Amino acid sequence: MTDLDTRMAPPGPSALRRAAPALLGYAAVRTLSLLALAVWSAARDKSAYTLLTARWDALWYARVAELGYGYEVRMPNGDVHSNLAFFPLLPWLERLGAALTPLSHADAGFAVSLLASLAAAWGIFAVADHVYGRRAGACAVLLWAVLPVGIVQSMAYSESLFTALAAWSLYAVLTGRWPAAGALAMLAGLTRPVGLAVVAAVWAAGIASFVRDRSTPGPHGSRHMTRALGMLLAPLGTAGYVLWVGHRTGKGPLGYVDVQAGWRNGFDGGYAFARFVADKFTSFPSALAGIGLIIGVGLVVWLYVVCVRQRQPLPLLVYGGIVTALALCASSYFGSKPRLLLPAFPLLLPLALALSRLRTRRSAGVLAGIAVASAVYGAFWLNGSGPP
């Protein structure tokens, strides 16, 4: 298990130089995806930029940034879709960008996502490099870039921003920077509900570190103080927004749960998802999709088991496990599940470690082939129903 208190990172400029090849590779993959989207969209007489900035959640975030909270839509079936379901950090940044630049709120959201995706890639590299070394770090970044739904990393959505905050919070935990870890976890908790996973990772690592210190003689006072500060900061973002929504709706601490219920979002242990998969086997063509879903879920579970067997550091296991469980066991729109798994980058570390052990030419060839397939799929996917 990685020592969370003694292994420290190199200084900033040195760390950036170390990560530069991985970040350049990430930028190349994202550029390829955007070019594929532009070509595919032009062929269908659609605007690639509109697909990236003005669909589904991107519209809701921009509306919050422009008009604030309080907007809701009553659906024909009686469901109420309230913009209180969307956490505030991305809209705040969109509003700031629109205030300081000539950009619209949607443009600012796109800019935030582009910058945040690079910050996320750097954070993923930092974590993987710290645990497994530089080659594994580069492979982890490129694997995250070539995920089939990787195009979401370039959309005016909150996934890139959240992943950046989560990755750097985890890195701060791994290197013993507890106040920074707590502050970043607090910001992650203002970005998405799954910010709870970052909070849990900080707390799990903090408790384990306290226990370890008790069995180690010597003065630990200052370290106890900074660790406690980080742990106290971590939940403030999630708790603050959830309590504010409860006050705003007049329904107390469970007000946010009611807001999510209006979107038919909840946690049912995977029952609704299992029924969705089972329904695919009622006819032959859809049965193939059902088989694909089972294989996909099996792969995700298998990767997490490998993470455990490879003894990943505790905060990575806690974070990756909670993100995966929330994505697979929520009763939300089932087409969103691949997107909801995007922040679960620790699941990619076993694959990154395996790739890093191949010859450079072979690993580069594998990643290049997957990058092309991912770019084509992302363009096809976003020109269809798109990620809700």
Side-chain angles (χ1 to χ4, degrees):
M1 192 69 71
T2 303
D3 188 332
L4 303 184
D5 292 318
T6 58
R7 288 186 60 185
M8 303 301 288
S14 174
L16 181 57
R17 285 194 298 270
R18 185 174 178 85
L23 297 182
L24 289 173
Y26 177 80
V29 173
R30 293 269 45 83
T31 300
L32 176 64
S33 295
L34 293 175
L35 287 173
L37 177 64
V39 171
W40 195 296
S41 301
R44 294 175 59 88
D45 198 26
K46 292 185 177 181
S47 166
Y49 189 70
T50 298
L51 294 176
L52 292 168
T53 61
R55 298 193 72 194
W56 297 98
D57 290 9
L59 289 173
W60 286 89
Y61 282 120
R63 187 176 287 117
V64 172
E66 184 176 2
L67 303 174
Y69 286 105
Y71 177 81
E72 61 183 33
V73 176
R74 185 169 295 276
M75 308 303 289
N77 64 355
D79 291 344
V80 177
H81 290 184
S82 168
N83 65 1
L84 289 169
F86 296 88
F87 276 50
L89 185 58
L90 178 56
W92 287 347
L93 294 175
E94 290 180 347
R95 186 178 299 170
L96 180 64
L100 298 179
T101 70
L103 298 176
S104 69
H105 293 95
D107 295 337
F110 181 64
V112 168
S113 288
L114 289 183
L115 294 174
S117 67
L118 287 171
W122 189 6
I124 292 170
F125 173 84
V127 170
D129 178 27
H130 181 83
V131 178
Y132 293 123
R134 187 180 187 184
R135 282 177 62 88
C139 289
V141 168
L142 294 174
L143 284 170
W144 191 66
V146 303
L147 288 173
V149 294
I151 190 66
V152 174
Q153 298 163 17
S154 300
M155 296 182 69
Y157 273 41
S158 61
E159 273 74 13
S160 290
L161 178 61
F162 174 78
T163 304
L165 294 167
W168 283 108
S169 178
L170 292 170
Y171 179 71
V173 169
L174 293 173
T175 55
R177 296 172 168 88
W178 293 99
L184 290 165
M186 178 179 65
L187 292 174
L190 287 169
T191 308
R192 296 184 64 81
V194 75
L196 287 171
V198 190
V199 176
V202 172
W203 272 72
I207 292 171
S209 189
F210 273 120
V211 171
R212 186 169 58 250
D213 281 353
R214 290 188 62 184
S215 62
T216 305
H220 301 295
S222 61
R223 190 158 61 185
H224 284 339
M225 292 289 291
T226 57
R227 189 186 300 126
L229 175 60
M231 294 173 70
L232 288 173
L233 287 173
L236 295 183
T238 300
Y241 183 68
V242 168
L243 291 174
W244 179 81
V245 170
H247 175 74
R248 175 74 178 255
T249 60
K251 297 182 179 180
L254 297 180
Y256 186 76
V257 175
D258 288 342
V259 168
Q260 285 286 7
W263 288 80
R264 293 188 179 266
N265 291 335
F267 187 86
D268 63 0
Y271 175 73
F273 186 40
R275 287 191 59 184
F276 173 77
V277 174
D279 288 344
K280 294 294 182 182
F281 291 92
T282 56
S283 63
F284 171 70
S286 64
L288 297 178
I291 294 172
L293 287 170
I294 292 173
I295 292 173
V297 172
L299 176 61
V300 169
V301 173
W302 174 75
L303 283 173
Y304 186 74
V305 170
V306 175
C307 291
V308 174
R309 294 181 64 183
Q310 290 183 345
R311 296 178 61 81
Q312 279 188 14
L314 178 63
L316 298 187
L317 292 176
V318 171
Y319 168 78
I322 293 177
V323 172
T324 302
L326 290 176
L328 294 181
C329 298
S331 58
S332 56
Y333 181 69
F334 303 115
S336 300
K337 293 193 180 294
R339 173 171 70 86
L340 298 178
L341 284 167
L342 268 179
F345 68 89
L347 297 180
L348 299 175
L349 297 188
L351 299 177
L353 185 60
L355 272 177
S356 70
R357 291 169 175 168
L358 299 178
R359 293 182 180 274
T360 301
R361 181 176 298 179
R362 179 173 296 180
S363 60
V366 170
L367 289 167
I370 299 174
V372 172
S374 174
V376 172
Y377 178 76
F380 165 77
W381 186 49
L382 199 52
N383 272 276
S385 61

